[in-house]
Amino acid sequence: MRGSATPFHLRSLGVRESRYPAEAPAPFACSDDRLTRVWHAAHRTMQLSTEDVFVDCPLYEQTLWVGDARNLQAYALTTFDGRDVSRRSLRLAADSLRRLPMVGSQVPSCWDTIIPVWSFLWSMAVWEYYDYSGERDALEEFWPAVTKNLRGAAAQLNVETLFDAPWWNLFEWADLDC
């Protein structure tokens, strides 16, 4: 509209919210009203960001970052029983083992990058999913991928049996020697 030579009339203006349908399974209240407000603010934030984390910005990268998904899963499961998106995310990450020795850092993607700490977080997320859900079929589905992920890590042990992999470890984000 900027620089328009002719006038215009705005007939309607609105916002269309798009979010994961994360409804709390039970109301939360605490004797400390500040904690109640913090919990509700955190829940609302998760409602608004869950889809973005599990899909990682549908308009930009369009991929799931495994480390982010694990952290969100912890909240999604316990707060709104987000087993559907959690299990789907675990499955997408496991699929990266068809082409990589350890779980990829973002899936699905043509950027085959491993961030080992996120590969390990994925293995933990499998157990945390099972611990929450009790779904033995999920553990049976993911167990071969967990063992393959761990074998991929074991292949990176040096002569001192320390993990020594050539992959991105996020150290360049800190003032450390990579």
Side-chain angles (χ1 to χ4, degrees):
M1 315 296 171
R2 190 174 292 153
S4 177
T6 59
F8 69 92
H9 296 279
L10 186 61
R11 290 189 172 83
S12 177
L13 180 66
V15 174
R16 183 173 296 170
E17 182 176 281
S18 175
R19 64 175 178 85
Y20 181 83
E23 302 303 329
F28 177 85
C30 178
S31 59
D32 184 339
D33 187 55
R34 290 174 300 171
L35 292 178
T36 301
R37 288 193 320 269
V38 165
W39 188 92
H40 286 286
H43 180 68
R44 179 69 176 144
T45 299
M46 294 307 294
Q47 284 180 314
L48 296 171
S49 66
T50 295
E51 184 177 17
D52 181 53
V53 171
F54 281 116
V55 178
D56 199 32
C57 190
L59 300 176
Y60 177 57
E61 292 173 318
Q62 298 180 347
T63 191
L64 168 83
W65 285 88
V66 174
D68 296 346
R70 182 274 174 170
N71 295 333
L72 182 64
Q73 174 184 284
Y75 188 86
L77 290 174
T78 58
T79 306
F80 55 83
D81 192 34
R83 284 184 275 181
D84 54 349
V85 293
S86 296
R87 191 162 177 175
R88 177 184 177 275
S89 297
L90 292 171
R91 190 174 289 125
L92 285 171
D95 190 56
S96 70
L97 288 165
R98 289 187 303 127
R99 64 184 190 285
L100 298 170
M102 292 179 67
V103 168
S105 61
Q106 74 289 329
V107 293
S109 177
C110 63
W111 187 33
D112 288 338
T113 302
I114 296 171
I115 300 175
V117 69
W118 287 3
S119 301
F120 298 133
L121 282 176
W122 174 83
S123 292
M124 291 171 56
V126 169
W127 182 254
E128 291 162 350
Y129 180 88
Y130 171 71
D131 188 47
Y132 170 82
S133 71
E135 295 173 4
R136 186 175 175 90
D137 66 313
L139 192 56
E140 290 170 353
E141 175 186 353
F142 297 123
W143 192 250
V146 169
T147 57
K148 184 173 182 180
N149 191 47
L150 293 174
R151 281 194 302 275
Q156 301 300 316
L157 298 179
N158 65 21
V159 294
E160 291 90 21
T161 65
L162 297 173
F163 184 75
D164 187 12
W167 302 308
W168 185 24
N169 264 307
L170 307 178
F171 289 129
E172 74 279 7
W173 292 2
D175 189 20
L176 299 171
D177 180 6
C178 292

